[in-house]
């Protein structure tokens, strides 16, 4: 069974940093592209970042360029999102999602940016 | 303001059919595959349709997708109260080099 489990969400002050993780299981991790997608409270889906299976291709949404960094460790079956210079409007549930569709989604981890 | 445009809400009676539209441009829907997602309250999105009109295993054939030019549609037939959810379309935008989503459509089964 394919599983994606996010962790690392927390309450952080504006300007702070946070690192999210996503653990994959039930599939050959390195074979699949991965995405981070977020959803602010009561709002729609918003794509954040993409990384290819071997990390050769990376894309970011304009609103996170220069602040967020996506990475993966295929040996650990893990995806990461390093978030710096966090803003109040980064408050959201962050989902990791597998594939170009994306096909499988994790349950999400809540990031709250507030003073 | 979402890159893809969906109606905020649609409604229909149980057993009826509903169509949700998703309008884009040549750089997104016009040149890439469209996916559709269902998000029940308090849960993660679930893929309903990928590659414009393909259903993942386990998705009933009451759900179907189609595309024409720069617009896509999701049809749901034989509506059930359990279909009440938010529905999103998504695709890759080659100009933005970003995945884009519609703003979401809330389906109410009256």
């Amino acid at each position: 069974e394919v599983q994606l489990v996010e962790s690392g969400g927390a309450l952080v002050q504006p300007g702070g940093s946070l690192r999210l993780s996503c653990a994959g299981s039930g599939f050959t991790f390195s074979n699949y592209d991965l995405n981070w997608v977020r959803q602010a409270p009561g709002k729609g889906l918003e794509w954040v970042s993409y990384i290819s299976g071997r990390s050769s291709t990376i894309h970011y949404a304009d609103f996170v360029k220069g602040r967020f960094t996506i990475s993966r460790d295929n040996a650990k079956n893990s995806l990461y999102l390093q978030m710096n210079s966090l803003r109040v409007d980064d408050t959201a549930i962050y989902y990791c999602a597998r594939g170009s569709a994306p096909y499988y989604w994790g349950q999400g981890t809540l990031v709250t940016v507030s003073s | 303001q979402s890159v893809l445009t969906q109606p905020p809400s649609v409604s229909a009676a149980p057993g009826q059919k509903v169509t949700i539209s998703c309008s884009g441009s040549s750089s997104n829907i016009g040149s890439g595959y469209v996916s559709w997602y269902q998000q029940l309250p308090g849960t993660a999105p679930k893929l309903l349709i990928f590659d414009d009109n393909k259903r993942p295993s386990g998705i009933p054939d009451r759900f179907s997708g189609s595309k024409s030019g720069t617009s896509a549609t999701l049809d749901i037939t034989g509506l059930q109260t359990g279909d009440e959810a938010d529905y999103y379309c998504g695709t890759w935008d080659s100009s933005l080099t970003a995945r884009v989503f519609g703003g979401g459509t809330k389906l109410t089964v009256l």
Side-chain angles (χ1 to χ4, degrees):
Chain A
E1 179 193 6
V2 172
Q3 283 200 328
L4 296 166
V5 180
E6 302 92 337
S7 62
L11 171 63
V12 62
Q13 292 189 334
S17 297
L18 208 55
R19 189 197 199 202
L20 305 184
S21 300
C22 172
S25 61
F27 62 101
T28 303
F29 193 80
S30 60
N31 286 354
Y32 290 90
D33 305 341
L34 294 166
N35 299 268
W36 287 102
V37 178
R38 72 184 187 182
Q39 187 170 34
K43 302 296 184 182
L45 301 176
E46 189 172 48
W47 173 81
V48 174
S49 185
Y50 160 95
I51 186 168
S52 61
R54 298 293 181 182
S55 305
S56 57
T57 301
I58 287 174
H59 296 297
Y60 296 101
D62 284 346
F63 55 81
V64 303
K65 281 180 183 174
R67 299 191 301 127
F68 292 8
T69 302
I70 192 172
S71 63
R72 63 192 296 165
D73 185 336
N74 289 338
K76 295 183 178 179
N77 288 352
S78 292
L79 170 71
Y80 306 104
L81 186 68
Q82 177 66 42
M83 303 187 295
N84 299 331
S85 302
L86 281 162
R87 309 189 295 223
V88 170
D89 61 1
D90 291 320
T91 294
I93 296 173
Y94 284 74
Y95 298 100
C96 68
R98 193 194 85 171
S100 58
Y103 202 108
Y104 290 101
W105 298 62
Q107 85 292 345
T109 188
L110 178 62
V111 172
T112 303
V113 184
S114 174
S115 54
Chain B
Q1 194 79 350
S2 301
V3 173
L4 305 180
T5 301
Q6 297 180 236
S9 64
V10 295
S11 62
Q16 296 301 302
K17 172 185 173 180
V18 71
T19 295
I20 299 174
S21 62
C22 176
S23 177
S25 68
S26 58
S27 65
N28 43 65
I29 293 178
S31 56
Y33 287 120
V34 176
S35 300
W36 288 91
Y37 314 88
Q38 177 193 60
Q39 188 174 34
L40 298 169
T43 68
K46 174 184 176 182
L47 183 67
L48 287 179
I49 298 290
F50 67 100
D51 289 358
D52 297 340
N53 54 21
K54 297 180 176 62
R55 282 186 308 276
S57 62
I59 301 300
D61 59 6
R62 300 189 298 109
F63 296 90
S64 64
S66 63
K67 188 177 81 175
S68 178
T70 59
S71 293
T73 58
L74 172 70
D75 289 325
I76 310 173
T77 59
L79 276 172
Q80 303 173 1
T81 55
D83 296 332
E84 285 201 336
D86 294 323
Y87 292 83
Y88 296 90
C89 58
T91 188
W92 183 260
D93 191 298
S94 56
S95 293
L96 298 174
T97 320
R99 183 152 195 89
V100 292
F101 293 100
T105 298
K106 183 176 182 60
L107 169 63
T108 300
V109 181
L110 302 168

